[in-house]
Amino acid sequence: MTDVSASRLAAVSMFDAGTRRVRVLLTRYGILWVTIALFGILGVTTDGFLRGANLRNVLDQQSLILIAASFATLTIIGGGFDISQAAVFVTSAIVAIQALNASHSILIGVLAGVGFGVGAGVFNAVVVAYARIGSFIATLATSFIWFGAGFLISDRSILRPETRAWSDLARERIFGLTAATWFSIAVVGLAWLVLSRTKFGRYVYATGGNAEAALLSGVNTRLTTSATFVMSGAAAGLAGTLNAARSGSALPSDDFSFVFAVIAAIVVGGTSIAGGEGAVWRTVLGALFIAFMVNGFNIHQVDPIWQRVIQGVVILVAVGLDAWARRARTTG
């Protein structure tokens, strides 16, 4: 082989390697680039977007979604779906205020709200991991149970706390950020550590990627799946409890919008709905991308109907890109 031919082969090899690196950067960190781009565009074109008060408000508005979505990410990576987070979010707020008013203790109120979420998560885990009912249908069914429980516990009425300090649980500001925002930072950090820095996190990826292979490798897939649902329930319970503190009330409903917002953040962030792939940081960026987009819409007074249409298109594109990326990796 001549020196010229060798040089050409080396050049082609370097080009192919560079192309692969670029493709990896685009597919693996795509949500990072588009979030930075959106932030920059809104910063330049939208008056008031970069104001500290506005950005702090965005973080506060997303705090409850981030709390629930951080551990819901683990559930989806593990191959499951927890639709019941919306019902747990609503009913845990009712349970928390009932416990608060009965005990006049904020701690007991918080423990009751989170405890309800844990109990709901355990029930979901048994139904999904041991009764072997598909997680989507199973948690859709348990959603109606928890929604119904909320109506029964509240006697179909709005509940309000009897302790004024209750609102400080979510509204108190520390270094300019609300307590709810700090809670979300702590929960996101915990979820990130569990998923990326523990053996359990590796088990979650293995279970979602190929449950049968994981089982043959010695992974207790039932226990892994169960743990993700319990964590998801606890996170939704905490989010619901903080929402009760923020709003100063709790009322029964059968509104699924909260879990739709959670799933949107996870999917837009790039976590695969097929399981086995994803990350908590992706979910955070997905939530922020949607939040920045909505905030820009509101500042520019875009019709809420068109906001829904555009958000739907964004979610559809995100799912489509996930499917495309999976096919690209499969075909090499």
Side-chain angles (χ1 to χ4, degrees):
M1 182 181 295
T2 65
D3 291 341
V4 174
S5 297
S7 298
R8 287 178 178 175
L9 286 175
V12 170
S13 178
M14 290 178 62
F15 177 78
D16 289 341
T19 301
R20 284 195 296 270
R21 283 195 293 269
V22 170
R23 186 168 63 179
V24 168
L25 286 173
L26 289 176
T27 56
R28 184 173 297 177
Y29 300 104
I31 183 60
L32 174 62
W33 312 135
V34 297
T35 302
I36 292 174
L38 178 63
F39 185 86
I41 292 170
L42 290 174
V44 172
T45 63
T46 307
D47 292 337
F49 176 77
L50 292 178
R51 290 179 182 172
N54 180 61
L55 295 178
R56 287 192 296 269
N57 184 52
V58 169
L59 289 175
D60 181 56
Q61 289 175 348
Q62 292 300 301
S63 60
L64 305 185
I65 292 173
L66 285 172
I67 288 171
S70 58
F71 279 105
T73 301
L74 273 69
T75 305
I76 290 179
I77 292 174
F81 253 100
D82 188 3
I83 303 300
S84 70
Q85 275 199 326
V88 173
F89 177 77
V90 169
T91 306
S92 62
I94 294 170
V95 171
I97 289 185
Q98 286 276 41
L100 171 73
N101 291 342
S103 64
H104 300 288
S105 168
I106 293 176
L107 178 61
I108 291 177
V110 172
L111 292 176
V114 176
F116 175 81
V118 171
V122 170
F123 188 86
N124 287 338
V126 170
V127 172
V128 173
Y130 294 92
R132 300 296 183 90
I133 300 175
S135 60
F136 185 92
I137 296 299
T139 57
L140 178 62
T142 59
S143 293
F144 292 106
I145 297 175
W146 312 140
F147 278 136
F151 280 99
L152 293 174
I153 294 171
S154 65
D155 196 24
R156 304 184 183 186
S157 59
I158 299 176
L159 301 181
R160 291 184 171 82
E162 297 174 359
T163 303
R164 290 185 178 181
W166 175 251
S167 63
D168 293 340
L169 186 64
R171 296 180 181 179
E172 182 71 17
R173 289 190 177 272
I174 304 170
F175 300 115
L177 300 178
T178 63
T181 301
W182 286 111
F183 270 110
S184 70
I185 293 172
V187 172
V188 165
L190 178 61
W192 175 79
L193 286 172
V194 169
L195 183 61
S196 64
R197 293 291 185 269
T198 67
K199 183 183 293 186
F200 172 76
R202 294 193 293 273
Y203 289 169
V204 171
Y205 281 110
T207 301
N210 189 323
E212 184 176 349
L215 185 61
L216 293 174
S217 300
V219 177
N220 189 332
T221 54
R222 286 187 178 183
L223 184 60
T224 300
T225 299
S226 297
T228 62
F229 277 97
V230 173
M231 293 176 182
S232 176
L238 175 59
T241 300
L242 291 174
N243 187 55
R246 174 192 285 173
S247 63
S249 64
L251 68 160
S253 75
D254 54 2
D255 182 7
F256 280 92
S257 61
F258 180 75
V259 75
F260 292 156
V262 167
I263 293 174
I266 296 171
V267 170
V268 170
T271 290
S272 175
I273 58 175
E277 297 180 22
V280 173
W281 67 265
R282 289 182 172 278
T283 296
V284 173
L285 289 176
L288 292 178
F289 178 84
I290 294 174
F292 292 153
M293 183 173 61
V294 172
N295 186 248
F297 286 155
N298 291 335
I299 293 175
H300 286 288
Q301 298 182 335
V302 176
D303 190 320
I305 295 176
W306 280 108
Q307 291 190 32
R308 290 179 177 272
V309 172
I310 296 172
Q311 288 181 59
V313 171
V314 168
I315 294 170
L316 189 62
V317 169
V319 175
L321 288 175
D322 172 59
W324 171 81
R326 292 176 70 87
R327 286 196 301 270
R329 287 191 295 270
T330 301
T331 57

